[in-house]
Amino acid sequence: MFHRRTQLQPATTSPRILIVEDEDAIAETLSYALRTDGFTPVHVRLLADARRELSSSSPVAPALVVLDVGLPDGTGFDLCREIRAMPERGNIPIIMLTARSEEIDRVVGLELGADDYVVKPFSPREVSLRVRTVLRRASAAPTSTTTRAPLFVLDAAAQRITLGGEALSLTRREYLLLKTLLERPRRICSRDMLLDAAWGSDAESGDRTVDTHIKTLRAKLKALRPDLDPIETHRGLGYSVSV
Ligand code: CA
């Protein structure tokens, strides 16, 4: 029996994953893992080639970009920033690959709008799983807002946030912390970023201050909705809200 798999599978079942990586050995093992998991990997070695794949004139946009930080013609951070500024393709999920494990690289990458990061050396299978998770999260986001009322409603003019329709009784700092997190759904906010947003130049405070206020904020959310724990802790990085 002769099967033409490529013809039987509609294109939508195999999302294109753009891999921007100058080391061929890494790109090859990653491509293999992605193909095994039903994705269509597209490998480029330069930012210039990635830009071509991402430009609105290319017929098929990648479903996700796996982006190395150190590239011959620039850094992955640059491209991450460029993608987020694209009018039509600015929401494409991005997973950064970083060779150094210094936290600063990860934080910078995530604050630029990356969805996740992986530190080299990594297991290709693990990256493929993350690709699946990030894609699921990205595709769930728009549907959930249209099919049900959002869990949090931020009324910036009234400086008020409701959870499941009920107004939260928050201190000014708690309000500012939650507002900052809600404005960047599913993205990690570093402690520095939160400190800046809620305390500004009031330098009475340090990382611990953020942690303490997040703790009381969590308790207030939990009192209203014990079934949820919407604030996620990312060890060494910061916090995100996942709704
Ligand atoms: Ca590299």
Side-chain angles (χ1 to χ4, degrees), residues 62-135:
L64 182 146
V65 182
V66 178
L67 180 56
D68 186 27
V69 172
L71 292 157
D73 59 343
T75 80
F77 295 137
D78 298 333
L79 185 64
C80 185
R81 205 183 288 119
E82 284 170 38
I83 293 173
R84 288 294 170 253
M86 288 177 180
E88 283 167 47
R89 300 187 165 173
N91 285 328
I92 296 177
I94 300 168
I95 298 179
M96 307 283 307
L97 301 179
T98 167
R100 286 165 293 169
S101 60
E102 280 109 55
E103 282 174 4
I104 186 72
D105 273 1
R106 308 183 196 176
V107 174
V108 167
L110 293 161
E111 284 184 357
L112 289 172
D115 294 83
D116 204 350
Y117 66 88
V118 180
V119 181
K120 293 177 184 178
F122 53 77
S123 125
R125 176 92 188 112
E126 163 72 16
V127 179
S128 188
L129 284 173
R130 296 232 198 159
V131 165
R132 191 170 292 283
T133 307
V134 169
L135 280 177

Side-chain angles (χ1 to χ4, degrees), residues 5 9 11 13-21 24-44 62-68 93-97 118 122-136:
R5 248 181 99 86
Q9 282 190 329
T13 60
S14 182
R16 278 163 71 89
I17 309 298
L18 179 63
I19 303 169
V20 190
E21 166 63 74
D24 285 346
I26 291 175
E28 272 162 30
T29 55
L30 188 52
S31 293
Y32 180 80
L34 287 168
R35 212 174 285 118
T36 307
D37 284 346
F39 298 107
T40 301
V42 177
H43 172 215
V44 297
L64 182 146
V65 182
V66 178
L67 180 56
D68 186 27
I94 300 168
I95 298 179
M96 307 283 307
L97 301 179
V118 180
F122 53 77
S123 125
R125 176 92 188 112
E126 163 72 16
V127 179
S128 188
L129 284 173
R130 296 232 198 159
V131 165
R132 191 170 292 283
T133 307
V134 169
L135 280 177
R136 198 189 304 126

